[in-house]
Amino acid sequence: MREILGRRRRLLSRRKDGRPDLIGAALTFATQWQWPVLPGVAPDPQGRARCACPDPECTVPGAHPFDPGLLAATTDARMVRWWWTNRPSAPIVLATGGGAPCAVSLPALAASRALALLDRRGMRLGPVIAAPTRWSLLVKPYSLEQLGELLYAKDFVPGSLRFHGEGGYVALPPSETGQGAVRWERAPLPGSAAPWVPDVEAVVDAVVDALTRTGVSAPEL
């Protein structure tokens, strides 16, 4: 138990200077959980709301891969250590799909209301990532065909739901991005194995139903 709690503290710990322990978290994701990660592009030091990438209208400043590109994501400890030793403040980006979790994301307000209702129903959720504007619910890997069949069977799916599958990505805690800090709304349970995540069908069904029942209007989605 003491060893498990120690790993938990390392995952969520901060350095002596009070800044997030990004290299420790990145190594946990990559080596213990086998989630392929890579460093994201940093926010522009001249203005954190802007991105350091060449796109002047970047919509996810500091929260996406750029150099290296997404295909460089790895679980290799040496590469991860080298990246964050040289770029200690770089956001941690998870390459979704393949053997790694995928994600379903929605605006923060809608997500907060949906999760409150799902809690009252006793639905089991996996880790939930909270960025300032959007929350991401991690789910089991799915194929494009599986997602297409799921969405085709729905009478209504909010247009603001986003699906991060093969070839996608999400920023992981405790990253700092141009929009603010990324944190766990539902933190993974302590342990050396990768956290449990639900099927995408269960999450989409529950979230769409929850949003309908809580009366979240289209503009909020």
Side-chain angles (χ1 to χ4, degrees), residues 3-86:
E3 181 182 356
I4 290 175
L5 291 175
R7 283 195 293 266
R8 171 74 161 184
R9 282 193 293 268
R10 286 197 296 274
L11 176 61
L12 302 175
S13 65
R14 304 182 77 83
R15 306 184 318 189
K16 290 182 179 180
D17 61 5
R19 300 180 66 183
D21 180 20
L22 290 164
I23 189 170
L27 285 168
T28 295
F29 300 140
T31 63
Q32 293 186 23
W33 298 356
Q34 293 297 294
W35 290 2
V37 298
L38 75 163
V41 61
D44 188 334
Q46 301 301 316
R48 290 188 58 83
R50 301 198 304 269
C51 191
C53 76
D55 183 0
E57 299 180 357
C58 180
T59 58
V60 284
H64 67 90
F66 174 64
D67 182 17
L70 187 63
L71 293 179
T74 184
T75 59
D76 181 76
R78 292 173 298 178
M79 192 74 248
V80 170
R81 192 178 298 278
W82 185 87
W83 274 333
W84 272 276
T85 297
N86 288 277

Side-chain angles (χ1 to χ4, degrees), residues 87-161:
R87 299 167 60 180
S89 62
I92 305 170
V93 173
L94 167 68
T96 54
C102 295
V104 177
S105 72
L106 61 162
L109 175 60
S112 177
R113 294 181 180 179
L115 262 62
L117 180 57
L118 297 182
D119 283 344
R120 291 196 292 272
R121 294 178 178 177
M123 180 177 175
R124 183 185 182 190
L125 294 173
V128 177
I129 301 166
T133 60
R134 296 186 71 84
W135 291 8
S136 299
L137 289 70
L138 296 186
V139 298
K140 292 180 181 177
Y142 57 78
S143 65
L144 289 177
E145 291 79 9
Q146 181 183 4
L147 179 62
E149 291 175 1
L150 171 63
L151 298 181
Y152 182 77
K154 290 286 182 190
D155 292 329
F156 168 73
V157 176
S160 63
L161 278 183

